[in-house]
Amino acid sequence: MKVQHKADIAKNGQAAKSDKPLKTERIKGAEAVVKCLIAEGIKTIYGYPGGAIMPTYDAMYHYQDELQHILARHEQGAIHAAEGHARVTRETAACIATSGPGALNLATGIADAYLDSVPLVCITGQVFSGVLGTDAFQETDVIGCTMSITKWNYQITKPEEIPSVFAKAFYIANTGRPGPVVIDITKDAQNGLLDFHYEKMTNIRTYHPRLKAKKSALEKAAELINKAKKPFILAGHGIQIARAEKVFTAFIEKTGIPIGCTIHGLGTIPNDHKLHTGMLGMHGNYGPNIKTNECDVLIAIGMRFDDRVTGNLEKYAKQATVIHIEIDPSEVNKNVFAHVPIIADAKDALTQLLPMVKKRKHTKWLAEFRAADKIEYEKVIKRDCGPSPEGEIRMGQVMKEVSDQTKGQAIVATDVGQHQMIAARYYKYNTTNSWVSSGGAGTMGYGLPAAFGAKFADPKREVICVCGDGGFQMTIQELGLCAQWNVGVKILLLDNNFLGMVRQWQQLFFDRRYSSVELVNPNFVMIAEGFGVKAKEVSDPKKLKQAIKEMLAHDGPYLLHVRVEKEENVFPMVPSGAGIGDIRLE
Amino acid sequence: MQKEYTISVFSEDMVGLLSRIVTVFTRRHINIESLVTSESSMKGIYRFIVVVTVNEAMVEHLVKQIEKQVDVLKAFHYENDEIVYQEVALYKVPTAIFLKGNHVETVVRAHNARILDIEEDYIVIEKTGHKSQTEALLRELEQIGIYEFTRSGRVAISKHHEPLNQYLKEVEAEVAQ
């Protein structure tokens, strides 16, 4: 172990080795911040200025050609936009805010990114180091506040710390299990001078994210897989994060094992792939839920057995031998015991496993899933994808229509609630990195800004933002972002005048006592137009198809306000506390 | 089954890391019974020793969550028979009680304690041992008369060879690859 000099403590890592003599330039800390971001390949930063971060905003003014700043209307909008950006590119995105309220307005997004493993570098301004701890104007203990919702955070009080801390932050954010990091920089550190030199970090002595799968575990897994009669794969977010879709497809096609996706696993393989059996969890599909409790070998890849996936753990896959491929060791044996834990990157594990497994088919077993699909189709899907008997549009109908018209090729960014589950269920995800949604945190208000970030990052792809009337109003101000940058996000507002998911629970579990869930809504079309976003309302099921066509044909942002059935429930449903085997179809 | 576990954490010496480690416990509503921080035998590497009473699954979970912190090098957990451990207790008693005969001195000697400081109005006694032992002396002194009592957290050393060295070797080999 190399003992490092005390001055290296902030970094505690090693930069890429170079034999050239160090070339440095004497610049201000604020400029160094901008240069670090550019050196890490950041071209867009989402944020909102304020007192304590003003030196950095001044430095950004001089680098506008290399680093574009997107001014959101609220810091929460900025960070969700950054999340949307990171989700579709799988690259680290950056956001920036001032101290105190600015930093705290990022907090929801930081927690969201932490739960959904989204790589972010969040920069917050801080008061002068000399007044830290004196309750100075807009001073908040940002490091303390974000400690439990960041993968790493650090407060910079000296300009010379900037390059090494940024290098460390970027290295941490997008290696291993990705996550958000916060860098809090005092105003004097931004104003002070340093001899700037930047090197990317390649190693931290306390952090070893690139774990290789152990041969012995892989051998055990291969043996189980080769002998299994009813194997089943749970495909999580980790496969797309590892960019392992190809080897995953090769793996399932060789082994013939049916797969179910977690919500963030949507798009891992196309929905119409013959081994795709649907989504897992509380509002997932019938087949993958009940079959989890019938399989003999359960292979979980890049997922963490969230309670929304497992339901009651006492009744979850008790019959199965579990193989768990996961990069984060703390997720293994956390909720579900793994008989064969494989702590590794999904791509590495699957690449090694592929030649070890036999080519097989599980025709009869797969047919059981298809039989379950039929039941679900008759009891739920057929109903959901048509209008109500009263002639109202149903959410499923909207999602199916937009899915057909975009051929399942769009990015779907959602808010949180009933519409989110319907969007997950009825859009046919045919390409990867297409699902942008708040899963772990369930953050209402996520949809619109995240859709903006996704479209801004990947302008060639169609981006559909699916919102409910509740969540939409939490970040409705970001319509201004879409208008200002003319970013063609297509907003499908599914309006039932209710906080629908809460209302559904009140109906089912609180004897229809509708406590504070009904909304008197504004004229959404007028609001959108006020922002300069073209908008239209539709309530007639017969006019839906044409309305969606017009929305998609429009060049620029567009709001389609769809009035949907007011008291629609999302089924199937695993009631809270029940086992997945007790999934309700009605 | 709930048991007393000693968790030994090796980390960088960084501002805020103590909070991060403590949060691992507090957010799960687990009471830290004792916490000691000190340098380790390796320069620049800090050591935390935490004592908690939890079940085995929880202690394993806690250790993983601690190791998940980027600046933590490694964490280990031990049952009491796997470590040598001690706590230090200080007792401040009135000088007057020593003047009433040798009873107090006999007690101090019987408990393998020692007198640390003698002042006109008080005497400070020091006792090193397990909690039950420092507690036993406290009970006796309470009968005689005591002004103040304080006990440190647990310091502990594993009976096995320090596993950290082995771990560091593995890490170095991995990095070299």
Side-chain angles (χ1 to χ4, degrees):
Chain A
M1 170 61 42
K2 216 168 75 183
V3 176
Q4 288 181 323
H5 193 263
K6 186 88 178 167
D8 279 353
I9 289 276
K11 127 176 154 182
N12 277 321
Q14 288 162 14
K17 278 180 190 145
S18 161
D19 296 330
K20 287 179 210 149
L22 285 189
K23 257 197 198 162
T24 64
E25 49 180 328
R26 189 128 183 103
I27 56 172
K28 272 189 168 187
E31 189 180 352
V33 169
V34 178
K35 280 174 150 317
C36 290
L37 292 169
I38 293 167
E40 289 288 350
I42 297 291
K43 293 188 174 69
T44 310
I45 185 163
Y46 303 87
Y48 207 104
I53 197 68
M54 280 182 70
T56 299
Y57 269 80
D58 186 57
M60 282 197 284
Y61 183 84
H62 301 284
Y63 286 88
Q64 289 175 48
D65 294 344
E66 289 162 81
L67 180 67
Q68 185 175 28
H69 180 270
I70 303 292
L71 174 66
R73 300 301 184 263
H74 186 287
E75 288 88 353
Q76 189 186 354
I79 191 164
H80 291 328
E83 284 187 89
H85 185 119
R87 280 291 288 262
V88 298
T89 59
R90 300 287 171 206
E91 282 162 9
T92 306
C95 61
I96 184 163
T98 192
S99 64
L104 292 180
N105 281 342
L106 293 180
T108 306
I110 297 171
D112 191 278
Y114 191 52
L115 280 161
D116 284 348
S117 310
V118 180
L120 294 185
V121 170
C122 310
I123 302 159
T124 54
Q126 183 54 278
V127 299
F128 287 91
S129 60
V131 295
L132 278 171
T134 66
D135 303 326
F137 177 65
Q138 292 195 329
E139 183 195 356
T140 304
D141 174 15
V142 173
I143 295 301
C145 289
T146 58
M147 198 155 272
S148 59
I149 51 172
T150 47
K151 191 170 171 189
W152 188 71
N153 61 9
Y154 191 86
Q155 184 176 63
I156 295 176
T157 54
K158 295 181 195 77
E160 58 270 23
E161 291 178 296
I162 289 169
S164 61
V165 170
F166 270 78
K168 185 167 174 179
F170 273 94
Y171 179 61
I172 291 167
N174 210 0
T175 46
R177 179 178 177 182
V181 299
V182 166
I183 305 173
D184 193 39
I185 316 178
T186 60
K187 206 167 177 180
D188 49 319
Q190 296 170 57
N191 285 331
L193 291 165
L194 74 151
D195 294 315
F196 182 79
H197 169 78
Y198 196 80
E199 272 179 64
K200 287 195 182 188
M201 193 159 285
T202 55
N203 172 42
I204 298 172
R205 68 173 172 179
T206 55
Y207 172 70
H208 304 279
R210 282 165 300 193
L211 296 160
K212 292 248 179 282
K214 284 212 174 99
K215 190 108 202 182
S216 56
L218 290 168
E219 278 164 1
K220 254 193 236 168
E223 197 192 329
L224 281 168
I225 290 166
N226 289 337
K227 281 186 184 158
K229 291 196 168 70
K230 293 180 168 191
F232 186 44
I233 289 175
L234 311 179
H237 197 187
I239 299 168
Q240 290 181 69
I241 291 174
R243 296 178 163 99
E245 298 93 335
K246 261 192 196 156
V247 64
F248 177 75
T249 306
F251 178 78
I252 60 167
E253 286 176 354
K254 185 171 179 191
T255 55
I257 303 175
I259 77 140
C261 284
T262 68
I263 196 161
H264 288 319
L266 291 170
T268 308
I269 58 168
N271 271 37
D272 54 13
H273 191 285
K274 62 181 192 302
L275 293 169
H276 192 288
T277 70
M279 185 172 77
L280 302 157
M282 188 175 260
H283 294 291
N285 293 102
Y286 184 55
N289 272 308
I290 58 165
K291 295 296 160 190
T292 300
N293 277 0
E294 292 173 24
C295 67
D296 59 351
V297 176
L298 189 65
I299 306 132
I301 308 175
M303 57 87 74
R304 61 186 174 91
F305 292 107
D306 179 82
D307 58 278
R308 286 298 190 266
V309 164
T310 63
N312 187 339
L313 284 169
E314 300 299 320
K315 298 176 187 169
Y316 184 79
K318 288 294 175 197
Q319 80 297 340
T321 306
V322 177
I323 300 168
H324 193 179
I325 301 175
E326 168 60 44
I327 198 161
D328 178 355
S330 74
E331 292 297 350
V332 176
N333 292 342
K334 187 180 85 175
N335 295 335
V336 171
F337 177 76
H339 300 83
V340 183
I342 299 176
I343 303 192
D345 176 79
K347 194 174 190 174
D348 169 68
L350 289 169
T351 307
Q352 287 199 62
L353 208 47
L354 186 60
M356 299 162 76
V357 291
K358 287 185 192 151
K359 187 155 178 63
R360 294 181 70 191
K361 271 187 182 159
H362 296 281
T363 319
K364 250 177 91 183
W365 171 230
L366 195 59
E368 291 183 33
F369 285 88
R370 297 304 166 219
D373 289 349
K374 259 189 203 140
I375 296 170
E376 187 180 342
Y377 180 79
E378 288 302 326
K379 292 209 160 170
V380 183
I381 299 171
K382 203 159 79 179
R383 176 197 166 279
D384 279 3
C385 293
S388 77
E390 289 78 29
E392 296 156 303
I393 298 174
R394 281 196 174 125
M395 292 186 276
Q397 192 186 354
V398 183
M399 287 319 301
K400 190 177 179 308
E401 183 58 40
V402 76
S403 182
D404 289 347
Q405 289 198 27
T406 56
K407 299 183 177 68
Q409 297 290 326
I411 291 168
V412 177
T414 79
D415 217 87
V416 169
Q418 285 186 321
H419 69 276
Q420 178 190 28
M421 295 299 115
I422 296 290
R425 288 176 54 79
Y426 295 116
Y427 193 87
K428 298 278 172 239
Y429 296 89
N430 282 333
T431 49
T432 129
N433 301 331
S434 298
W435 173 252
V436 177
S437 190
S438 169
T443 307
M444 286 176 71
Y446 177 92
L448 179 58
F452 174 87
K455 181 75 181 172
F456 200 85
D458 199 349
K460 283 194 203 115
R461 288 187 69 185
E462 189 76 75
V463 175
I464 311 290
C465 169
V466 188
C467 281
D469 46 317
F472 184 55
Q473 293 184 71
M474 283 198 178
T475 48
I476 196 167
Q477 76 283 354
E478 305 305 342
L479 280 170
L481 258 189
C482 302
Q484 182 169 350
W485 295 91
N486 193 32
V487 164
V489 170
K490 304 296 156 65
I491 306 157
L492 266 178
L493 174 60
L494 306 182
D495 175 8
N496 54 14
N497 279 105
F498 271 118
L499 302 177
M501 190 58 95
V502 181
R503 188 210 53 74
Q504 175 172 345
W505 281 51
Q506 288 177 345
Q507 179 188 340
L508 298 175
F509 312 120
F510 295 89
D511 291 331
R512 278 184 189 267
R513 288 187 296 279
Y514 289 171
S515 180
S516 296
V517 285
E518 195 163 6
L519 294 160
V520 175
N521 282 326
N523 182 330
F524 287 116
V525 169
M526 203 185 266
I527 285 185
E529 283 171 350
F531 273 100
V533 171
K534 196 169 163 51
K536 193 176 174 175
E537 185 187 308
V538 61
S539 54
D540 180 354
K542 288 189 213 81
K543 292 182 179 155
L544 179 67
K545 190 173 187 169
Q546 181 58 27
I548 290 174
K549 211 172 179 180
E550 275 173 40
M551 173 185 85
L552 294 172
H554 180 71
D555 184 17
Y558 191 99
L559 172 84
L560 183 60
H561 177 197
V562 190
R563 291 194 183 276
V564 297
E565 186 185 10
K566 284 191 74 164
E567 297 193 33
E568 187 182 359
N569 287 336
V570 184
F571 284 107
M573 179 180 195
V574 180
S576 186
I580 48 167
D582 306 321
I583 188 166
R584 285 169 61 172
L585 289 171
E586 54 201 336
Chain B
M1 198 188 60
Q2 300 246 319
K3 233 189 248 174
E4 194 172 82
Y5 287 98
T6 302
I7 301 172
S8 175
V9 184
F10 293 88
S11 78
E12 297 293 355
D13 171 17
M14 278 181 100
V15 175
L17 194 52
L18 174 63
S19 287
R20 269 194 179 268
I21 291 169
V22 168
T23 305
V24 167
F25 297 88
T26 50
R27 73 173 278 215
R28 293 173 178 82
H29 211 88
I30 289 164
N31 196 23
I32 292 176
E33 287 160 30
S34 148
L35 168 69
V36 168
T37 74
S38 71
E39 283 187 334
S40 74
S41 57
M42 253 165 292
K43 212 173 174 184
I45 292 181
Y46 250 65
R47 187 168 184 172
F48 300 77
I49 293 170
V50 189
V51 181
V52 287
T53 301
V54 292
N55 62 35
E56 195 183 355
M58 180 54 82
V59 78
E60 281 169 6
H61 179 61
L62 290 169
V63 163
K64 283 183 188 172
Q65 292 293 327
I66 292 168
E67 284 188 346
K68 190 172 173 170
Q69 308 304 320
V70 168
D71 296 307
V72 168
L73 198 55
K74 192 78 187 154
F76 304 94
H77 68 278
Y78 303 103
E79 292 184 27
N80 285 346
D81 60 359
E82 295 172 298
I83 48 171
V84 176
Y85 61 99
Q86 292 280 280
E87 285 157 10
V88 175
L90 299 178
Y91 312 74
K92 188 168 161 188
V93 297
T95 308
I97 62 168
F98 279 81
L99 306 172
K100 288 182 199 157
N102 342 341
H103 180 52
V104 187
E105 277 182 69
T106 318
V107 168
V108 169
R109 226 170 286 137
H111 282 270
N112 270 327
R114 66 183 186 120
I115 291 170
L116 208 61
D117 190 21
I118 302 175
E119 299 291 335
E120 207 177 311
D121 51 344
Y122 67 85
I123 288 177
V124 177
I125 301 166
E126 179 205 308
K127 157 92 189 130
T128 310
H130 289 183
K131 193 174 173 183
S132 58
Q133 296 167 321
T134 55
E135 195 97 357
L137 177 56
L138 175 65
R139 294 288 154 260
E140 287 209 46
L141 288 173
E142 271 173 353
Q143 313 267 319
I144 306 165
I146 184 163
Y147 285 147
E148 264 185 61
F149 167 74
T150 181
R151 179 168 44 223
S152 76
R154 170 183 294 186
V155 289
I157 271 176
S158 74
K159 289 182 182 171
H160 316 290
H161 244 332
E162 186 51 80
L164 183 68
N165 296 321
Q166 183 55 39
Y167 172 75
L168 288 176
K169 267 182 212 155
E170 283 171 24
V171 167
E172 274 193 351
E174 196 181 297
V175 171
Q177 266 176 21

